[in-house]
Amino acid sequence: MASLDDAWARGDAGAFANRFAADGTFTNVLGMFFQGRDEFRERHDAVFKTVFKGTTLALRIATLRFIRPDVAIADLDAELRGCTNPPGGLAAMPDDTIRTKLLMVLVKEHGDWWISAYHNVAVVPPPPNG
């Protein structure tokens, strides 16, 4: 997870996609669906250059469950900091942080762990006091 945080901070889509399976699936916080490492990398390259430029990501494993010795499901809490201009359909918290719940299915092949599925759901900010 630390390598993902680091790649995000550097805006390095290639490094961010490095452990993504060639045939993996990705659903982003806006509900857009993508398939394959190339699409995962291209999508992140686009947002690193635009709406998420200069942001940082912090991932924390909430639960990790091994379905088999070579398949794990990771439920993560994600915080995207410094997002002053979130894309339409996504709202930041008052501290300019976007919080999400991220589900990853991880598969071990030939001794390496790969992200086979990546499903991201935004945590809605509380309504303003009024």
Side-chain angles (χ1 to χ4, degrees):
M1 297 308 138
S3 67
L4 294 174
D5 293 347
D6 179 62
W8 188 288
R10 292 183 289 113
D12 186 341
F16 194 73
N18 190 43
R19 302 305 313 160
F20 197 80
D23 62 348
T25 60
F26 164 51
T27 304
N28 71 12
V29 292
L30 301 176
M32 299 166 66
F33 178 80
F34 303 91
Q35 191 163 6
R37 182 182 306 125
D38 290 341
E39 286 192 38
F40 186 79
R41 182 184 57 249
E42 289 166 12
R43 180 66 186 147
H44 284 90
D45 186 53
V47 298
F48 289 161
K49 291 176 180 173
T50 58
V51 295
F52 296 142
K53 185 176 184 176
T55 61
T56 59
L57 179 67
L59 296 172
R60 185 183 63 80
I61 298 173
T63 62
L64 181 63
R65 183 168 52 112
F66 286 87
I67 306 302
R68 300 186 325 218
D70 61 342
V71 178
I73 296 176
D75 284 290
L76 302 146
D77 293 318
E79 287 189 354
L80 181 60
R81 298 183 186 117
C83 192
T84 57
N85 190 24
L90 194 57
M93 301 291 179
D95 63 356
D96 293 331
T97 299
I98 293 174
R99 291 180 175 80
T100 71
K101 297 291 186 179
L102 176 59
L103 176 83
M104 286 188 197
V105 176
L106 305 165
V107 178
K108 190 173 188 178
E109 292 182 348
H110 308 292
D112 291 318
W113 286 97
W114 297 92
I115 301 167
S116 182
Y118 183 108
H119 189 90
N120 209 358
V121 178
V123 174
V124 178
N129 293 334

